[in-house]
Amino acid sequence: MEGEPISALCTPALVVDVDKVKENAKRMTERCQKLGVQLRPHMKTHKTLECADIMTGGSRRCIVVSTLAEASFYADHGYDDILYAYSLPFDKVERCAALSEKLDLFQVLLDHHDALEQLKKRPLRDGRLWHIWLKLDCGNGRAGILHSEPQALRLAQAIAETAGVQLTGVYAHCGNTYNCTGVEQIQSVAQETTILTLQFMEKLKSVGITCKSSIGSTPSCSHPVKDMAKLSEVHPGNYVFFDVQQSLIGSCSLKDVAVRVLTRVIGHCPHRNQLLIDCGWTGISLDGAGKLPTGYAVIEGHPNLKLLSMTQEHGRVEPISGPLDYSKFPLGSVLTLIPYHSCATAAMHPVYHVHSQGRLLGKWTPTRGW
């Protein structure tokens, strides 16, 4: 189908504007270069080789992954310097060991003494070291040991003093930027996360420990604060696709969003003043529920339309006000949905249809599973 218009695709279909992807990646790279920090892009949003090559500038080095399936996928395709940024799962230690013994640099993350004990029980072959990042909670409230807990410093010291392992860095995710609206709020959270991380680095220095520091989220890295220049790395990921949520937070504008889901009108329901479409919750994320006046997504070019509800394979669309003019939406016509959450939406599609200016260029196939 190369060269054909994206409207020729069977629907629902996830389409990726490669020009926007490249522009988004270029802006983030230049922003990090100007700041003087290493960009370690996160692969979790897209999980493809082609997009990873764009984000790494073809180096195939210095990436973050969220699953071991991603880690193995990239390792099998020539990637190295991979950080598995997920609190060490005890059932996957052996898989982590295999990657650590295969790659020049495979790195794991932990936030508990028990995880360190698991690694001590599985020494790596040939004198290799486990490369460990300590996960710090600086206010996000998900994984990580709380930055202010004395136990955090003790855990860092235990890692540094343990034979066969190395404390490579301290890692914090400022996912609490997702609660922000506007640059000022984003930068306030980014500043707080940065300062708390740097203060912890000073605690480490006071006991003779030096290592890298990294924080990340797409909002914070889209509007970095000056103090982030004192960090070693940053690790955003969603920025390569963006989505409606990021536009509402203030990370980007709607025109920067590189992904869409195409859907077709498959039914007219005048007794309900609705259209039926062939995209249900298996084709686009439910995350937008109650957060948008247009329902679960933005329907491009139709600000008065609302994706009201979805079942597994169907969606119901109705006007925000007034009666539908069905002549504008004949059966088989295509509507374009801009997803509220691109990571969740992309995860539902086995292939991404890549285009430039609406003409198909090919397909990207993501890795799946854990």
Side-chain angles (χ1 to χ4, degrees):
M1 298 185 71
E2 191 172 328
E4 291 191 47
I6 57 174
S7 59
L9 291 167
C10 288
T11 52
L14 187 132
V15 295
V16 176
D17 185 328
V18 72
D19 300 316
K20 290 184 179 181
V21 165
K22 289 177 178 177
E23 184 57 33
N24 291 339
K26 179 172 177 281
R27 276 201 305 269
M28 187 62 75
T29 298
E30 290 175 347
R31 191 177 292 127
C32 291
Q33 287 173 344
K34 184 178 179 181
L35 200 60
V37 297
Q38 174 67 53
L39 171 62
R40 182 181 289 275
H42 210 309
M43 302 292 109
K44 71 180 185 68
T45 298
H46 60 89
K47 307 189 185 199
T48 66
L49 289 173
E50 295 87 349
C51 197
D53 282 349
I54 291 170
M55 295 172 88
T56 62
S59 71
R60 297 203 164 189
R61 294 292 182 274
C62 199
I63 62 171
V64 188
V65 298
S66 58
T67 68
L68 278 178
E70 293 166 52
S72 297
F73 174 71
Y74 287 110
D76 288 345
H77 288 88
Y79 275 74
D80 213 319
D81 189 356
I82 299 172
L83 169 55
Y84 175 38
Y86 193 87
S87 299
L88 184 72
F90 294 178
D91 61 320
K92 299 178 177 69
V93 171
E94 193 55 42
R95 288 170 64 189
C96 289
L99 285 164
S100 295
E101 291 169 346
K102 172 182 178 178
L103 299 177
D104 287 340
L105 186 57
F106 179 72
Q107 301 155 88
V108 297
L109 180 147
L110 58 80
D111 58 6
H112 201 281
H113 274 279
D114 288 354
L116 179 59
E117 291 302 313
Q118 293 292 321
L119 298 184
K120 287 165 67 175
K121 292 176 186 175
R122 178 44 172 101
L124 299 177
R125 293 195 301 265
D126 303 323
R128 285 175 174 256
L129 299 175
W130 283 104
H131 294 276
I132 299 173
W133 287 72
L134 175 65
K135 179 64 180 285
L136 211 60
D137 180 358
C138 292
N140 184 39
R142 193 173 63 183
I145 189 165
L146 195 61
H147 67 93
S148 56
E149 285 286 330
Q151 188 70 9
L153 183 58
R154 287 198 290 268
L155 179 54
Q157 287 178 292
I159 296 168
E161 293 165 3
T162 299
V165 307
Q166 179 183 89
L167 180 61
T168 302
V170 172
Y171 184 103
H173 174 52
C174 43
N176 39 341
T177 51
Y178 281 74
N179 299 321
C180 296
T181 303
V183 175
E184 186 176 341
Q185 288 183 20
I186 291 171
Q187 291 189 325
S188 177
V189 174
Q191 181 69 27
E192 180 182 35
T193 306
T194 301
I195 292 302
L196 293 177
T197 301
L198 292 173
Q199 286 175 350
F200 189 78
M201 301 310 291
E202 287 300 315
K203 291 180 186 177
L204 292 181
K205 194 180 295 184
S206 71
V207 294
I209 298 172
T210 57
C211 63
K212 294 180 181 179
S213 56
S214 181
I215 75 161
S217 72
T218 284
S220 62
C221 295
S222 296
H223 300 290
V225 295
K226 288 181 180 179
D227 280 332
M228 286 170 65
K230 300 172 186 176
L231 300 165
S232 309
E233 300 183 356
V234 293
H235 50 262
N238 174 279
Y239 70 92
V240 75
F241 278 0
F242 282 131
D243 49 34
V244 173
Q245 181 183 28
Q246 295 288 353
S247 73
L248 295 175
I249 291 168
S251 307
C252 67
S253 65
L254 209 54
K255 70 178 178 59
D256 299 318
V257 181
V259 291
R260 305 285 191 276
V261 174
L262 303 185
T263 182
R264 278 187 165 78
V265 176
I266 58 170
H268 289 169
C269 310
H271 59 293
R272 297 197 306 264
N273 196 31
Q274 290 179 346
L275 302 170
L276 200 62
I277 59 173
D278 66 359
C279 181
W281 49 254
T282 57
I284 195 165
S285 167
L286 288 167
D287 283 6
K291 297 169 184 173
L292 298 171
T294 53
Y296 291 91
V298 169
I299 304 177
E300 194 163 32
H302 299 285
N304 192 45
L305 290 185
K306 178 177 184 176
L307 179 52
L308 176 72
S309 65
M310 292 182 285
T311 54
Q312 187 166 342
E313 305 296 348
H314 296 83
R316 297 182 186 90
V317 173
E318 69 178 28
I320 293 173
S321 63
L324 268 173
D325 181 351
Y326 287 95
S327 67
K328 293 181 179 178
F329 308 102
L331 295 181
S333 59
V334 175
L335 293 177
T336 303
L337 309 178
I338 311 178
Y340 181 81
H341 187 184
S342 63
C343 308
T345 296
M348 299 173 181
H349 292 263
V351 296
Y352 312 153
H353 300 275
V354 182
H355 70 94
S356 175
Q357 298 181 350
R359 292 283 170 178
L360 291 167
L361 299 176
K363 299 176 183 178
W364 292 351
T365 303
T367 190
R368 290 289 180 245
W370 294 271

